[in-house]
């Protein structure tokens, strides 16, 4: 209950500092993993309603299982309602393309950036766009003269520039990783670093059920390709003086490639601390926890090549 009291103090302090009044009668309080009695007492202490799951957030129901396709029904129905107001027969092909780009691609953009969309939902949204583009409706279908993969290509490559929803979803999730990489000093980034280890852990092994659904989705995207994520393919590493780059983990992960040597190394940190600059240039100074065996010496020799 101490945390609830702290929340009350913070909210009251905000009222005194800002001059704004918090309407607790329109607010709700909820908790996961606590008893119903505790939730009722906490809500009564805060003078607000008890939050029930599922609840609506920005028009979409939030449930315990984010993978449930029913969660996305409001988004699908909203796209269908938008199309119902625009009759395909009154618009040219160019008008339909512009409407898809300006309206249908913008409706789910927030939800695409915080969750990996189930394939069934993506198929429904693509079906809606295809039927609208080629003049078909919910009751009738028309022939699609060009395959959808070609339609989603950029105009300079012969397509119509309509977004591929699956790639768009992956790109928005990868953007979190990019922002985490470039804004490590921000408060939200420091919180993620303290809880999950930051962007570097996205290249390592999964931790398990303690991670949030959002972080699991980002982690899953980071391991979706055979050669790594799309973000990895576009990164070029500049070591400089090695004060920030980690020798075993950044770039090509030597920790995964040589786990035995990594476990025996005293120097599981940045490159700058693993050697020194001399008049002849950079010299490595590897330090091991024990003397290497014969087979490990061969491994270390191959490692240094």
């Amino acid at each position: 209950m101490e945390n609830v009291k702290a929340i009350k103090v913070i909210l009251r302090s905000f009222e005194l500092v800002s001059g704004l009044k918090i309407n607790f009668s329109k607010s709700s309080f909820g908790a996961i993993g606590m008893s119903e009695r505790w939730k009722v007492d906490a809500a009564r202490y805060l003078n607000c309603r008890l939050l029930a799951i599922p609840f609506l957030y920005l028009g979409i129901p939030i449930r315990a299982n984010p993978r449930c396709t029913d969660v996305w029904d409001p988004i699908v129905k909203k796209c269908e309602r938008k199309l119902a107001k625009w009759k395909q027969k009154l618009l040219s092909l160019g008008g339909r393309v512009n409407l898809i780009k300006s309206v249908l691609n913008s409706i789910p953009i927030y939800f695409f950036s915080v969750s990996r969309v189930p394939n069934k939902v993506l198929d429904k949204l693509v079906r809606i766009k295809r039927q609208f583009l080629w003049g078909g409706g919910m009751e009738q279908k028309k022939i699609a003269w060009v395959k959808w993969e070609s339609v989603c290509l950029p105009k300079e490559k012969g397509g119509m520039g309509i977004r591929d929803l699956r790639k768009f979803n992956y790109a928005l999730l990868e953007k979190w990783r990019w922002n985490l990489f470039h804004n490590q000093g921000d408060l939200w980034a420091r919180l993620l670093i303290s809880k999950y280890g930051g962007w570097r852990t996205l290249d390592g092994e999964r931790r398990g059920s303690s991670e949030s659904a959002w972080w699991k989705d980002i982690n899953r995207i980071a391991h979706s390709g055979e050669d790594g994520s799309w973000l990895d393919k576009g990164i070029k590493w500049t070591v400089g003086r090695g004060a920030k780059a980690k020798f075993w983990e950044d770039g090509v992960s030597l920790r995964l490639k040589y786990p035995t040597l990594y476990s025996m190394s005293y120097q599981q940190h940045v490159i700058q601390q693993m050697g020194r600059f001399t008049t002849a240039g950079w010299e490595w100074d590897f330090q091991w926890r024990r003397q290497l065996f014969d087979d490990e010496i061969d491994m270390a020799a191959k490692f240094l090549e």
Side-chain angles (χ1 to χ4, degrees):
M1 209 61 177
E2 294 297 326
N3 290 333
V4 178
K5 294 180 180 179
I7 293 175
K8 185 78 169 184
V9 171
I10 293 172
L11 294 177
R12 181 55 181 162
S13 300
F14 172 80
E15 289 181 337
L16 295 174
V17 172
S18 65
L20 301 176
K21 185 70 175 178
I22 297 176
N23 192 338
F24 285 96
S25 62
K26 292 184 178 180
S27 304
S28 300
F29 175 83
I32 298 175
M34 306 300 293
S35 65
E36 289 298 323
R37 184 61 192 173
W38 186 92
K39 296 178 186 178
V40 171
D41 291 341
R44 185 180 295 112
Y45 180 82
L46 294 173
N47 195 27
C48 62
R49 294 174 296 177
L50 185 62
L51 181 66
I53 297 177
F55 60 92
L56 290 178
Y57 180 72
L58 296 180
I60 192 170
I62 305 301
R63 303 189 180 185
N65 182 12
R67 298 270 70 82
C68 181
T69 56
D70 294 343
V71 172
W72 295 87
D73 284 345
I75 300 299
V76 175
K77 292 179 180 178
K78 190 172 183 180
C79 292
E80 293 176 347
R81 288 197 302 268
K82 289 292 183 181
L83 292 184
K85 297 178 181 179
W86 297 84
K87 302 300 182 181
Q88 299 96 322
K89 60 183 180 182
L90 301 179
L91 293 173
S92 64
L93 181 62
R96 297 171 197 163
V97 172
N98 288 330
L99 185 60
I100 290 174
K101 289 181 179 179
S102 61
V103 178
L104 296 185
N105 283 340
S106 61
I107 289 175
I109 189 170
Y110 168 77
F111 309 101
F112 274 41
S113 64
V114 296
S115 178
R116 187 176 65 90
V117 185
N119 291 331
K120 290 183 178 180
V121 177
L122 290 174
D123 293 340
K124 288 181 181 179
L125 294 174
V126 170
R127 191 182 307 115
I128 292 172
K129 296 204 296 186
R130 290 179 64 176
Q131 290 175 347
F132 181 74
L133 178 64
W134 299 117
M138 300 306 168
E139 298 82 13
Q140 60 177 353
K141 295 182 180 180
K142 289 195 175 181
I143 297 175
W145 297 104
V146 182
K147 64 180 181 179
W148 190 248
E149 290 77 7
S150 300
V151 172
C152 294
L153 291 175
K155 289 185 177 180
E156 56 269 19
K157 294 185 178 181
M160 296 184 179
I162 297 176
R163 288 172 178 163
D164 184 308
L165 293 182
R166 182 172 284 102
K167 293 180 179 179
F168 184 48
N169 181 212
Y170 283 14
L172 289 175
L173 291 175
E174 283 277 40
K175 189 176 180 180
W176 285 107
R177 188 178 177 214
W178 177 264
N179 289 332
L180 183 60
F181 176 76
H182 284 280
N183 303 287
Q184 300 181 46
D186 293 352
L187 177 60
W188 68 273
R190 297 205 307 269
L191 288 174
L192 292 177
I193 292 173
S194 64
K195 185 173 184 179
Y196 301 121
W199 64 272
R200 285 187 172 93
T201 60
L202 294 172
D203 295 322
E205 299 178 357
R206 301 289 302 277
R207 289 191 175 188
S209 59
S210 61
E211 298 176 345
S212 66
W214 170 75
W215 187 260
K216 287 180 180 179
D217 285 339
I218 298 178
N219 205 325
R220 189 177 292 109
I221 297 302
H223 292 84
S224 59
E226 294 180 359
D227 301 325
S229 69
W230 301 343
L231 183 60
D232 292 332
K233 298 176 183 178
I235 285 181
K236 293 183 179 179
W237 286 89
T238 302
V239 176
R241 299 187 64 85
K244 295 183 178 180
K246 291 191 174 183
F247 177 80
W248 293 98
E249 299 176 13
D250 292 341
V252 178
S253 180
L254 296 174
R255 175 182 177 179
L256 298 179
K257 195 172 182 180
Y258 299 96
T260 303
L261 294 179
Y262 172 77
S263 63
M264 292 190 299
S265 176
Y266 267 123
Q267 303 155 302
Q268 298 176 356
H269 33 56
V270 296
I271 295 177
Q272 191 179 59
Q273 300 176 7
M274 301 190 67
R276 65 184 68 85
F277 283 102
T278 64
T279 55
W282 175 261
E283 289 185 0
W284 294 104
D285 182 20
F286 293 100
Q287 299 176 18
W288 310 106
R289 299 179 186 276
R290 59 171 172 79
Q291 194 151 0
L292 300 180
F293 299 134
D294 291 342
D295 59 333
E296 294 171 344
I297 292 177
D298 295 338
M299 183 190 304
K302 184 180 179 181
F303 164 72
L304 293 174
E305 288 179 357

